[in-house]
Amino acid sequence: MLDVQLFDLHTFLPKPYEEALLPRLKKAHEELQTGTGLGGEFTGWVHLPQAYDREEFARIQAAAKKIQSDSQALVVIGIGGSYLGARGVIDCLCSPNYNLKKKETPNVYFVGNGLSGDALSEVLDLVRDVDFSVNIISKSGTTTEPAVAFRFFRELLEEKYGKEESGKRIYATTDKARGALKSLADAEGWETFAVPDDIGGRYSVLTAVGLLPIAVTGVDVEALMEGAAEMMNVCADGSYDSPAWQYAALRYELYRAGYAIEILGCYDPAFRFMTEWWKQLYGESEGKDGKGLFPASVEFTADLHSMGQYIQEGRRILFETIVRLGASDRQLAVPRDETDGDGLNFLAGASMDHIRDRATEGTLLAHSQGGVPNVIVNVGGKGPRELGRLIYFFEYACGLSGYLLDVNPFDQPGVEAYKKNMFALLGKPGYEDRKAELEAKLTEKH
């Protein structure tokens, strides 16, 4: 089972903090469990791993099988929480090179998460001559990036299959009752899945938002949910033995001690997009009211050759959280070279896992000695059950962390600022006065 520890604990947090923090953790826990805290109307994810809609879950699995049978590619259109979790799970459990591998399941392409014409054109070209389906994910259906991308892929589907047949290849994950996308899907007869009203986007990976793309790749989504349910039960006990309590407490105390940046790292490149999901989860949940840790990420050992110098000897304002996944699925031993020109024969016969683990331990020692606290999250494996536990662990600890900071961990008011400016500059109706004002400001600054 997953566990959490602070490497060289007493160097960085010499005074006992657990007992003093316990009443606040208990209050935060009770508010999450009962939905009575700030943003409590968006805590549906707390009990989701056991309370999810079994009928919809079966429809997700059936849709995934249909896509596997009639498509060589699935285009997933979404931004932020509508794609990061799914991509993180697929990369972690299937491989960052999933689309390049020989397999019986469709390639999965993620679009609608930016505004690059080149990136969009590339995926259009990749699917133009193959059978493909589209999963459009948007609560409202009006978010600019995915809505624009969907226009292109819907047009291509209709050119390729005709309007009626193309509709059988569009799956809309959206609001269950209202919104532009829901209305369009109902009018066109597309199959729909629900974005729950009580679960925000960054907490939605274990809903249809993440589960449909994940299931298409052949990942055991039942095991993923079972792992999340196991961690849910651990967190529900309401004691400091919960790893989510321990992680939230460590983060809070390090924050109070002056560490402003948390770097999430892992020694497996397959974990890269899980760190991207984690950054949104914690950044949007905590970063408000002038508070919150800044979430960053690294990929070790690669980033030890780029960011390692700063981490070791730069400003002492950061700490690291290192995720240790466990043994690799495939074990490789270093071959012996008779000439030993590189001087590495002392590693001959050693497994890559053994070398990685010694590199991890050496780095932990170096960074902690250099004044960088290290929190270690031991996952214990790389399967869907273990990843389900990890996802729920991070979500629950995030909710606790927000309440410890006295912020609402389930809203994101600051995200709207850029959108208003963008809409005005693009000439959206109703923004005419703002457009003139912004253009004048841009002229001044240039």
Side-chain angles (χ1 to χ4, degrees):
M1 180 60 81
L2 184 151
D3 67 72
V4 174
Q5 64 185 100
L6 179 64
F7 190 76
D8 198 12
L9 171 66
H10 300 295
T11 297
F12 299 103
L13 296 175
K15 297 179 181 179
Y17 62 89
E18 297 92 339
E19 188 173 343
L21 199 54
L22 203 56
R24 296 193 62 198
L25 276 168
K26 286 183 176 179
K27 182 176 183 291
H29 168 74
E30 290 167 2
E31 290 175 338
L32 282 181
Q33 290 292 318
T34 59
T36 54
L38 292 169
E41 65 272 26
F42 293 106
T43 53
W45 57 271
V46 172
H47 301 110
L48 176 72
Q50 287 184 349
Y52 65 89
D53 184 337
R54 264 63 178 179
E55 184 276 331
E56 181 174 70
F57 190 80
R59 287 200 301 113
I60 290 169
Q61 291 175 303
K65 288 181 179 177
K66 179 179 181 297
I67 294 167
Q68 289 170 347
S69 70
D70 67 13
S71 301
Q72 294 166 274
L74 172 67
V75 178
V76 181
I77 304 176
I79 195 167
S82 294
Y83 95 101
L84 285 171
R87 181 157 186 184
V89 171
I90 291 169
D91 276 18
C92 195
L93 296 180
C94 300
S95 168
N97 299 312
Y98 169 79
N99 285 347
L100 300 177
K101 297 175 73 172
K102 292 181 179 179
K103 56 192 181 300
E104 296 181 356
T105 51
N107 288 345
V108 178
Y109 300 103
F110 292 93
V111 302
N113 46 66
L115 293 170
S116 166
D118 287 341
L120 200 61
S121 296
E122 184 175 73
V123 179
L124 285 164
D125 290 342
L126 286 168
V127 301
R128 193 178 306 277
D129 297 324
V130 302
D131 288 318
F132 73 99
S133 296
V134 168
N135 179 202
I136 170 67
I137 306 171
S138 176
K139 180 78 169 171
S140 64
T142 59
T143 304
T144 305
E145 295 91 338
V148 167
F150 183 49
R151 287 195 175 198
F152 286 98
F153 285 92
R154 183 184 175 193
E155 180 181 68
L156 181 58
L157 278 172
E158 292 181 358
E159 289 175 0
K160 189 176 180 69
Y161 299 104
K163 189 172 180 61
E164 182 177 349
E165 287 303 311
S166 68
K168 298 175 183 177
R169 292 176 173 271
I170 297 175
Y171 302 83
T173 306
T174 187
D175 192 276
K176 65 180 179 182
R178 58 188 180 276
L181 181 55
K182 174 62 176 173
S183 298
L184 180 60
D186 287 347
E188 298 291 341
W190 304 333
E191 183 163 10
T192 61
F193 300 98
V195 179
D197 289 336
D198 56 358
I199 300 177
R202 58 188 178 274
Y203 291 85
S204 67
V205 61
L206 298 177
T207 71
V209 170
L211 291 177
L212 179 57
I214 293 167
V216 166
T217 67
V219 167
D220 186 346
V221 290
E222 292 184 5
L224 191 72
M225 296 300 289
E226 287 167 2
E230 290 169 3
M231 184 54 66
M232 185 193 85
N233 290 333
V234 171
C235 293
D237 281 347
S239 76
Y240 198 79
D241 292 334
S242 162
W245 284 44
Q246 295 167 11
Y247 180 50
L250 285 168
R251 298 179 76 253
Y252 180 72
E253 289 301 314
L254 288 167
Y255 175 71
R256 282 178 16 115
Y259 297 97
I261 300 169
E262 179 180 11
I263 299 176
L264 186 71
C266 184
Y267 286 73
D268 191 326
F271 201 72
R272 177 189 166 198
F273 265 90
M274 286 302 299
T275 69
E276 296 298 318
W277 167 78
W278 172 88
K279 284 193 289 190
Q280 185 200 3
L281 179 66
Y282 281 82
E284 278 196 349
S285 297
E286 291 187 311
K288 53 201 73 168
D289 300 339
K291 302 175 183 178
L293 287 156
F294 181 82
S297 62
V298 288
E299 181 187 307
F300 288 158
T301 58
D303 283 337
L304 291 174
H305 297 260
S306 55
M307 295 298 295
Q309 174 61 40
Y310 188 94
I311 295 171
Q312 187 70 43
E313 296 183 345
R315 293 183 64 196
R316 303 298 76 187
I317 57 173
L318 57 86
F319 71 92
E320 294 174 294
T321 296
I322 301 300
V323 175
R324 302 188 73 169
L325 294 176
S328 299
D329 294 330
R330 299 174 66 183
Q331 294 294 320
L332 288 176
V334 177
R336 174 173 291 278
D337 183 341
E338 290 305 320
T339 63
D340 196 24
D342 54 15
L344 293 180
N345 268 354
F346 73 97
L347 294 176
S351 71
M352 291 297 293
D353 276 9
H354 173 78
I355 299 170
R356 176 203 64 195
D357 290 344
R358 300 298 80 77
T360 303
E361 291 154 4
T363 306
L364 286 169
L365 285 166
H367 287 181
S368 63
Q369 290 166 359
V372 180
N374 269 258
V375 178
I376 304 168
V377 178
N378 293 303
V379 180
K382 292 181 64 176
R385 187 181 297 272
E386 289 83 5
L387 200 58
R389 291 176 192 147
L390 183 67
I391 288 169
Y392 190 88
F393 156 78
F394 274 136
E395 289 180 343
Y396 203 81
C398 187
L400 293 174
S401 295
Y403 286 156
L404 288 176
L405 288 172
D406 294 319
V407 300
N408 181 347
F410 308 113
D411 67 356
Q412 53 282 337
V415 173
E416 300 304 314
Y418 94 89
K419 293 181 181 179
K420 293 175 182 177
N421 289 347
M422 177 181 69
F423 290 151
L425 292 168
L426 286 171
K428 185 174 182 178
Y431 287 79
E432 291 82 4
D433 292 343
R434 189 178 181 90
K435 180 180 181 181
E437 177 188 345
L438 292 175
E439 287 178 339
K441 286 182 178 179
L442 286 170
T443 301
E444 290 173 10
K445 292 183 182 295
H446 286 306

